[in-house]
């Protein structure tokens, strides 16, 4: 059974930083693309970033220069380093085995339960 468990969310002030982690199991992590998506209150899912098995990455334009995606294949873990956080980054952040070039849909692929990130003073 594929499992993805996110952690690291919380309340942070504007301009602050957070590092999200996603521990995975049940599949050959090193062979697959893994991604982060988010859903803000009252809005749809949007892609944040993805990283492929060869280490190539994608980061959405709104997060470029502020967010960095990485992976530790030995620990089957995905990371998202977020800095210069803004109130509009407030959302539930999900990790998934879906590619960020597909339409985000929690009914497809495998998704974690999400971790809440709130950016507020």
């Amino acid at each position: 059974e594929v499992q993805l468990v996110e952690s690291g969310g919380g309340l942070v002030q504007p301009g602050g930083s957070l590092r999200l982690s996603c521990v995975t199991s049940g599949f050959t992590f090193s062979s697959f693309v893994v991604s982060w998506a988010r859903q803000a209150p009252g809005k749809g899912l949007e892609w944040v970033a993805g990283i492929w098995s060869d280490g190539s990455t994608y980061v959405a334009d709104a997060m470029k220069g502020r967010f960095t995606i990485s992976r530790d294949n030995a620990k089957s873990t995905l990371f998202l380093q977020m800095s210069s956080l803004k109130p509009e980054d407030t959302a539930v952040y999900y990790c998934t085995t879906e590619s960020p070039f597909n339409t985000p849909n929690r009914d497809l692929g495998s998704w974690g339960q999400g971790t809440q990130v709130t950016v507020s003073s």
Side-chain angles (χ1 to χ4, degrees), residues 3-90:
Q3 290 190 326
L4 304 97
V5 181
E6 304 95 335
S7 62
L11 173 63
V12 63
Q13 291 187 340
S17 299
L18 279 176
R19 188 192 196 206
L20 306 184
S21 299
C22 174
V23 177
T24 75
S25 61
F27 66 106
T28 308
F29 178 81
S30 60
S31 299
F32 286 84
V33 59
V34 279
S35 304
W36 291 98
R38 71 184 186 184
Q39 187 163 24
K43 296 187 177 182
L45 273 173
E46 67 170 336
W47 289 115
V48 174
I51 183 166
W52 280 261
S53 57
D54 66 357
S56 57
T57 62
Y58 160 84
V59 179
D61 287 345
M63 299 84 171
K64 280 182 181 175
R66 301 190 299 123
F67 291 11
T68 302
I69 188 170
S70 62
R71 64 194 298 164
D72 183 338
N73 288 334
K75 297 182 178 179
S76 298
T77 301
L78 176 68
F79 301 101
L80 184 69
Q81 179 68 48
M82 305 185 294
S83 59
S84 303
L85 284 162
K86 306 174 182 180
E88 52 264 42
D89 294 318
T90 294

